[in-house]
Amino acid sequence: MKVRTRFAPSPTGYLHIGGARTALFSWLYARKHGGDFVLRIEDTDLARSNAESVNAILEGMNWLGLEYDEGPFYQTQRFDRYKEVIQQLLDTGHAYYCYCTKEELDAMRDQQMAMKVKPRYDGRCRLRGEPREGVSPVIRFRNPAEGITVVDDMVRGRVTFQNTELDDLIIARSDGTPTYNLTVVVDDWDMQITHVIRGDDHLNNTPRQINILKALGVEPPRYAHLPMILGPDGTKLSKRHGAVSVMQYRDDGYLPQALLNYLVRLGWSHGDQEIFSLDELIELFDIADVNHSASAINPEKLLWLNQHYIKTQTSDYVARQLSWHMGQRDVDPSTPPPLRDVVEILRDRAKTLVEMADQSVYFFKEFDEYDEKAAQKNLTPDALPVLQALHAALDALGEWSAEQIHESVTGVSERLQVKLGKVAQPLRVAVTGGSVSPSIDQTLMLIGRERTLSRIQKAAEWIASKKV
């Protein structure tokens, strides 16, 4: 049978990193086995689901590069199918109408709590034949009253549930809308999902879903429940730990390749290897190698991975990701210099794309002010003749190349008999606005002849104005 996995988020917020890891593991399993990866949007919670969240999920999947073979499917477009299956369960005696009121259910729960037993529906409507006037019933699944349900989990191994511990769950609300455990069963059945990979917070739902599938005469898929992701302090991951949304990592300057590499190592390993290409992950990934215990995020490790990928990925790949950040700074990355060339000279100087973008704005845009300390130290009256000599020498260059620029700068240093630093630093502040940049010849080459000469002239005039 062809492997078919799915990722089925609820559109009630952003795509968080726990969901992204689930999507990644499902995607890897499908790719490894030559199968299909399906995206399903579980939007039946009409009160909380919204189009903005759907877009956030699709945007996150697209940014990570987790391409799906089918979908996205939307549960709200399948209500007729759910109604059909609910009726089938009613007709075969595997479901029944429950007319219990909220007050009755609350009293039942209070009594069970007082007796210190696990609160659960006691099945009192299982044999009720007549409707109750004025009560809109829910529909419950008639769970097996005895025996066990076994989940042969691909991560946790064999997990056994006593059917007496599983109450008759609601599969349709009083308004007729289906509930999660019903819709997910029907969807996995109709979409021929063979392997369900999801968070271990769903483990308690699994025996209920298996029993519904068996009542429908359907072979259940294989299940793999992933341990949760914790914050660095070992507590449940939340906003207080920093970025938990996938797109927040984009905004913070991380490469999708780095985040994928980081996420896969949260619960899975292959020896001591830390760096994986996508092709290696597809080849090496095995769901059976996923750890049983929870994994804690480590921001320092992610930063290290990100720096590695900035240094080692192709300039074109990094430039594509950097382009969005430049747009956030009102820079059109299609204008000169080529963004890939900027990446080449800055890749060893930045741990994130935010740092790289901040360091590269002066290549594209003029600046109004100099760094105060840098200007005070380097744009002094003594620097005026140096800048004037540099302007003349650079203006005379026949070829605007790093080699020619280097010779011109060193030539000015020799002619004026001043140390190279006394030439390069005023020049650097003049053309970048600050005291830090890549080598001055590469910096000037990318800034371009016209901008360089204009900025040197502007700095000279600034110095002259301070002398008056």
Side-chain angles (χ1 to χ4, degrees):
M1 183 180 294
K2 186 177 186 180
V3 167
R4 287 174 61 83
T5 67
R6 47 78 159 177
F7 177 51
S10 298
T12 56
Y14 46 72
L15 175 61
H16 57 81
I17 60 171
R21 186 190 63 168
T22 298
L24 173 60
F25 283 15
S26 298
W27 182 86
L28 285 173
Y29 193 83
R31 291 291 175 265
K32 180 181 179 67
H33 295 281
D36 294 327
F37 175 58
V38 178
L39 177 62
R40 185 170 77 222
I41 306 297
E42 299 192 337
D43 56 347
T44 54
D45 187 343
L46 302 179
R48 298 175 61 211
S49 299
N50 58 79
E52 184 180 353
S53 294
V54 172
N55 291 334
I57 291 168
L58 298 178
E59 184 182 26
M61 295 286 286
N62 181 63
W63 181 71
L64 288 171
L66 299 178
E67 298 178 350
Y68 36 91
D69 302 293
E70 295 178 17
F73 297 107
Y74 296 88
Q75 288 187 330
T76 48
Q77 298 174 2
R78 290 173 47 78
F79 279 142
D80 288 344
R81 174 59 176 152
Y82 304 139
K83 184 176 181 180
E84 178 184 295
V85 173
I86 291 169
Q87 188 60 51
Q88 179 181 340
L89 290 169
L90 285 169
D91 292 343
T92 57
H94 289 104
Y96 60 90
Y97 290 102
C98 173
Y99 291 88
C100 293
T101 65
K102 181 179 183 302
E103 291 75 19
E104 289 173 327
L105 293 174
D106 288 344
M108 182 192 308
R109 178 182 177 85
D110 291 343
Q111 183 179 11
Q112 291 168 338
M113 294 287 283
M115 296 172 62
K116 297 184 178 180
V117 297
K118 180 181 176 181
R120 56 192 296 275
Y121 182 66
D122 63 7
R124 63 181 60 180
C125 282
R126 274 184 166 227
L127 302 178
R128 186 191 297 272
E130 296 298 322
R132 293 174 68 178
E133 188 174 344
V135 177
S136 297
V138 300
I139 299 175
R140 292 182 182 271
F141 173 68
R142 192 186 302 271
N143 194 73
E146 55 187 28
I148 62 172
T149 299
V150 176
V151 180
D152 186 16
D153 196 273
M154 298 172 71
V155 172
R156 292 173 165 266
R158 182 183 173 92
V159 185
T160 301
F161 296 85
Q162 296 292 328
N163 284 329
T164 54
E165 294 296 313
L166 308 175
D167 58 357
D168 293 351
L169 76 159
I170 296 172
I171 57 174
R173 303 176 183 89
S174 58
D175 63 0
T177 58
T179 60
Y180 164 77
N181 279 297
L182 186 282
T183 58
V184 71
V185 162
V186 178
D187 290 343
D188 287 343
W189 173 23
D190 287 353
M191 297 173 190
Q192 299 179 301
I193 301 302
T194 62
H195 295 78
V196 173
I197 300 170
R198 59 188 179 186
D200 62 5
D201 53 325
H202 287 286
L203 180 59
N204 287 334
N205 288 324
T206 303
R208 295 172 166 86
Q209 293 168 12
I210 288 176
N211 284 337
I212 295 175
L213 284 165
K214 287 181 177 179
L216 293 167
V218 179
E219 182 69 23
R222 293 292 307 278
Y223 292 92
H225 291 91
L226 309 176
M228 67 190 306
I229 299 176
L230 303 175
D233 57 359
T235 62
K236 185 177 179 180
L237 187 63
S238 66
K239 289 183 179 180
R240 73 176 184 278
H241 294 115
V244 291
S245 160
V246 164
M247 298 315 292
Q248 185 61 51
Y249 283 95
R250 188 275 309 268
D251 296 352
D252 291 344
Y254 291 93
L255 291 169
Q257 184 76 31
L259 186 57
L260 288 174
N261 196 149
Y262 177 70
L263 288 176
V264 81
R265 291 287 287 108
L266 287 176
W268 176 85
S269 62
H270 181 74
D272 296 328
Q273 187 171 343
E274 292 288 350
I275 308 295
F276 298 88
S277 67
L278 278 180
D279 288 340
E280 285 179 310
L281 286 177
I282 292 170
E283 177 186 353
L284 299 173
F285 182 78
D286 190 337
I287 198 72
D289 293 334
V290 173
N291 297 334
H292 294 190
S293 56
S295 299
I297 61 172
N298 183 341
E300 290 77 19
K301 184 175 180 180
L302 175 57
L303 193 61
W304 173 80
L305 278 169
N306 201 56
Q307 188 174 23
H308 167 82
Y309 279 104
I310 286 176
K311 288 182 177 180
T312 59
Q313 288 292 300
T314 66
S315 300
D316 286 333
Y317 172 81
V318 179
R320 283 197 301 273
Q321 303 300 326
L322 180 63
S323 178
W324 180 86
H325 292 274
M326 301 311 297
Q328 298 301 111
R329 289 155 179 77
D330 295 323
V331 170
D332 183 349
S334 69
T335 59
L339 200 55
R340 65 182 311 278
D341 293 345
V342 173
V343 169
E344 278 294 330
I345 70 170
L346 290 177
R347 63 162 77 237
D348 291 330
R349 294 171 166 266
K351 294 181 180 179
T352 69
L353 296 182
V354 168
E355 290 181 6
M356 185 176 285
D358 288 340
Q359 294 172 20
S360 61
V361 171
Y362 62 77
F363 286 115
F364 302 91
K365 290 175 65 175
E366 298 303 319
F367 49 87
D368 297 323
E369 297 180 353
Y370 302 105
D371 177 81
E372 186 175 351
K373 289 184 179 179
Q376 186 176 5
K377 182 177 179 180
N378 296 287
L379 297 186
T380 63
D382 291 342
L384 183 56
V386 173
L387 291 176
Q388 291 170 335
L390 283 166
H391 189 283
L394 293 169
D395 191 25
L397 286 181
E399 177 188 358
W400 193 258
S401 65
E403 294 78 8
Q404 292 292 314
I405 293 169
H406 179 76
E407 290 181 11
S408 189
V409 173
T410 55
V412 169
S413 172
E414 292 168 0
R415 283 199 306 276
L416 297 181
Q417 295 184 329
V418 296
K419 292 181 179 180
L420 186 58
K422 294 292 185 180
V423 176
Q425 273 304 95
L427 177 57
R428 178 172 278 111
V429 177
V431 298
T432 70
S435 58
V436 179
S437 80
S439 64
I440 196 64
D441 49 358
Q442 290 181 311
T443 300
L444 266 58
M445 181 185 69
L446 290 186
I447 290 175
R449 183 195 298 268
E450 290 186 14
R451 278 186 176 143
T452 294
L453 295 175
S454 172
R455 291 177 187 180
I456 293 173
Q457 181 64 35
K458 179 181 175 181
E461 293 172 356
W462 186 85
I463 294 172
S465 70
K466 299 294 182 181
K467 291 174 64 178
V468 177

